[in-house]
Amino acid sequence: MDPEQSSIKLVGFTVIVDDIVFPDGSTSMAQLGGGGPQTIWGFQLATNQEFPAGLCAGVGADLPPECKSWLESINVDTSGLILYPRGTPRAWQRFDKDGRRTQEWRGNGDADDTKDVLYEMLRPKFEVIPPHFQQAKSVHLGVHPSRPPLTLMRKLREAANQQGGCLSIEPFTVADKALTEDELRLLLSSCDIFSPNLLEATSMLEDDAEEGDISAQELARRFLDVMQDQEHAAQLICLRCGADGAYVVPAVHDTEVVDVTGCGNAFCGGFLAHWDGAAYETSNRQHAVDPIAAPVPDRLLTASLWGSVSASLMAEERGVPSTPIHALQKPPSVDEAKNASAVSLLSLPQAVKPSAAWHHTRIPHRLMRQGMPRLCRF
C-alpha cells in the first residue's frame, strides 16, 4: 500500500453541489457542499493539512472540475469519489432572514425511482469504500436522525476503533418526530461522538417544539440520561448552538459572517482533529502535548476551541473557503501568545483549569488574537 494512503487520518462522506440563495437574493452557484468537504476542511485547518483525508461519495461525470481541484488543494484523497451514471447530487440551499435554510433537490433528486440511487451516492455502502479508507483513524458521517444507517455506523465505528480513533456523527436535518428512548439509545450506542445543533436535538426529544423551547443545558442532560449505564454508549455529546458557539465554548465574537453553510460540519472536523489526537501527529508535535494523554477537560476544551475557530473561518467566505489553509495558520506574535496564556489561566473556572502543559498546545491564532474566550459551561 502507498504510505501516503495508509496515513489517512479522517474519512468524510457526502458530496452535494450547492446553489446558494442568500436572504438578499444574491446567489453563490456550484459550491462544493454536502457536509463531507466542510468537515474535512475543518480537520485540515486544525492539522495544517499535513496528512491526506479521504472523501467518499458518489458523483457524476458533471462534477465541476473546480470542485475536485479545491479538494486536492487541501490534501484530500479523491479515490473515494465513485462515478455513477446519473449526475452529481445538486440542490438549492435557500436562506431566510431568520437564518433558516431550506434544501431543494435540483433535477430528479426527489423522484421515487432515483431516491435509492441518490441515497447510495450520498452514503456509500461499507463494502465499496476503498480499503485504505477503511483503515482511517477516524470517520465523520452525517445521518438522518429518524433513519440512521445503523449497520454502516457500526462497521465504521468498529474499523475506526481498531485504529485507535472514533466515529463522529451529526444529523443533517431535524427528526421527523421525537425519537423513542429505544431509538435514541440505538443511535447513541452506534457512534463515539454525537454532535447535533439545537434545533436537531430539540426535534429528537420533543414533537412540535421550536429551537429555544428547551435550554441547551436541559437538552444535554436528557441526552446524557439516555446514555447512563448504556453499553457502548457514545463518549461525547457535543451540542452546537450556532452564534452562541457550542455547549462547551462560545463562538468567536468577531466573526464577519458571510455564509453559514457548512459551519457545523467545519466545527465537527476541527473538534475531531484534536479529540482523536491527529493534530498531535503533525510536524509541530514537538511543541504540542499529546491530547490523548492530557486530562479530559484540557482535551475537550482544546478540541472545542479548534471547532469554534474552524466554524468561524468557514462562515467568513461564500461556499468552501478559497483562502489557502496555510494563510489562515498565521502564527501569533510572542506578545499575543503570552497574553493568551495568561488569560487562559485567569478566566477558566478552577474545576477546568488546564495543566501547565496547556501553554504549549497549538491554540488557534484567531482565539489568541482575542484572548482565550470565556468558557460558557463544562
Side-chain angles (χ1 to χ4, degrees):
M1 180 183 294
D2 188 319
E4 191 73 352
Q5 291 185 337
S6 63
S7 65
I8 285 180
K9 300 298 179 188
L10 172 73
V11 169
F13 290 83
T14 308
V15 166
I16 299 172
V17 176
D18 286 339
D19 295 320
I20 304 170
V21 182
F22 297 99
D24 64 0
S26 62
T27 60
S28 185
M29 307 295 282
Q31 294 292 336
L32 191 57
Q38 291 94 331
T39 301
I40 290 172
W41 182 87
F43 187 92
Q44 295 294 61
L45 176 73
T47 58
N48 208 19
Q49 62 186 49
E50 292 197 25
F51 296 101
L55 179 60
C56 192
V59 298
D62 60 346
L63 178 70
E66 57 269 26
C67 290
K68 192 170 183 179
S69 297
W70 181 86
L71 291 168
E72 292 168 346
S73 77
I74 63 165
N75 200 13
V76 173
D77 182 337
T78 58
S79 64
L81 296 182
I82 304 162
L83 191 62
Y84 277 71
R86 62 152 288 165
T88 302
R90 189 159 186 158
W92 290 108
Q93 305 290 346
R94 304 182 191 275
F95 284 93
D96 297 327
K97 290 182 179 179
D98 63 1
R100 301 255 178 163
R101 180 182 64 172
T102 302
Q103 176 173 291
E104 178 186 339
W105 290 110
R106 301 196 64 175
N108 59 352
D110 273 334
D112 289 338
D113 59 343
T114 62
K115 278 185 178 178
D116 290 343
V117 175
L118 175 63
Y119 189 80
E120 186 177 301
M121 293 177 74
L122 299 174
R123 209 150 288 101
K125 296 177 181 177
F126 186 82
E127 292 70 27
V128 303
I129 298 172
H132 64 290
F133 279 30
Q134 296 178 19
Q135 296 179 33
K137 184 170 184 180
S138 290
V139 178
H140 182 80
L141 180 70
V143 304
H144 195 302
S146 298
R147 295 181 289 281
L150 295 174
T151 299
L152 175 62
M153 289 167 59
R154 288 165 184 155
K155 289 180 179 179
L156 291 173
R157 186 187 194 187
E158 181 180 1
N161 289 173
Q162 287 176 354
Q163 302 300 322
C166 58
L167 170 64
S168 169
I169 292 294
E170 67 171 312
F172 59 73
T173 188
V174 297
D176 295 337
K177 61 180 181 179
L179 274 59
T180 66
E181 194 165 303
D182 285 344
E183 290 171 333
L184 198 52
R185 280 204 180 97
L186 274 174
L187 177 60
L188 297 179
S189 65
S190 302
C191 63
D192 298 299
I193 299 174
F194 185 65
S195 183
N197 64 28
L198 285 176
L199 184 60
E200 292 157 353
T202 301
S203 73
M204 295 168 65
L205 297 176
E206 295 284 347
D207 287 324
D208 303 319
E210 296 289 328
E211 181 178 335
D213 287 355
I214 308 175
S215 70
Q217 296 98 317
E218 177 63 13
L219 287 169
R221 184 194 65 76
R222 290 176 63 176
F223 275 106
L224 292 173
D225 283 349
V226 171
M227 293 163 57
Q228 200 76 284
D229 301 322
Q230 181 183 328
E231 191 177 7
H232 309 303
Q235 301 170 17
L236 286 175
I237 298 293
C238 187
L239 188 58
R240 294 178 281 111
C241 307
D244 292 326
Y247 188 55
V248 225
V249 66
V252 179
H253 67 76
D254 59 350
T255 304
E256 298 176 4
V257 178
V258 174
D259 177 9
V260 298
T261 310
C263 290
N265 310 127
F267 178 96
C268 291
F271 182 98
L272 188 55
H274 276 269
W275 180 258
D276 76 358
Y280 173 72
E281 300 175 35
T282 69
S283 62
N284 290 312
R285 60 187 176 273
Q286 65 268 27
H287 304 301
V289 173
D290 181 359
I292 303 302
V296 169
D298 292 29
R299 181 178 164 199
L300 184 53
L301 180 56
T302 303
S304 300
L305 292 172
W306 273 102
S308 184
V309 163
S310 299
S312 167
L313 292 169
M314 175 67 70
E316 293 192 337
E317 299 191 44
R318 287 195 170 192
V320 289
S322 58
T323 305
I325 282 177
H326 64 80
L328 299 172
Q329 283 278 15
K330 177 185 174 185
S333 68
V334 173
D335 288 341
E336 286 174 321
K338 285 181 178 176
N339 177 61
S341 293
V343 172
S344 70
L345 290 179
L346 290 172
S347 62
L348 295 180
Q350 184 65 40
V352 296
K353 279 186 181 178
S355 64
W358 171 263
H359 295 290
H360 306 290
T361 307
R362 291 191 303 143
I363 302 299
H365 169 60
R366 169 159 290 210
L367 290 178
M368 282 187 168
R369 175 162 50 79
Q370 67 179 62
M372 190 68 69
R374 301 159 305 286
L375 188 68
C376 287
R377 295 162 285 271
F378 219 104

